[in-house]
Amino acid sequence: MSSMPASEFKSKCLKVIERIAETGEPVVVTKHGRPVVQVIPVTDGAPVVFGRLAGAVTREDDIVSPIGDPLIWRE
């Protein structure tokens, strides 16, 4: 893991981001010698939660009447 001062990161930000995306090696940005932030690549393994069930639920206008064949409900 490499580190660099904030002033250097500011001037070379786009190149550093490209290098992180290619190599996957995180970079620690320091301010006055103290670590302030760690820049890491995004992983594709994060599960998508929002919108996962889109289209799985249907809306029925008549919620009182049985759905489907009425003979099934008489058993």
Side-chain angles (χ1 to χ4, degrees), residues 1-65:
M1 181 180 328
S2 62
S3 65
M4 65 175 37
S7 58
E8 183 182 348
F9 178 76
K10 184 178 178 182
S11 64
K12 300 178 181 179
C13 180
L14 295 177
K15 288 185 180 182
V16 173
I17 290 174
E18 287 175 9
R19 188 179 78 214
I20 292 170
E22 289 174 5
T23 64
E25 180 187 357
V27 173
V28 175
V29 180
T30 62
K31 215 171 190 182
H32 303 291
R34 287 185 27 230
V36 178
V37 67
Q38 182 179 10
V39 183
I40 60 171
V42 175
T43 58
D44 293 334
V48 177
V49 177
F50 185 74
R52 186 175 212 158
L53 295 175
V57 178
T58 59
R59 178 181 170 177
E60 296 293 329
D61 291 329
D62 185 9
I63 61 171
V64 179
S65 299

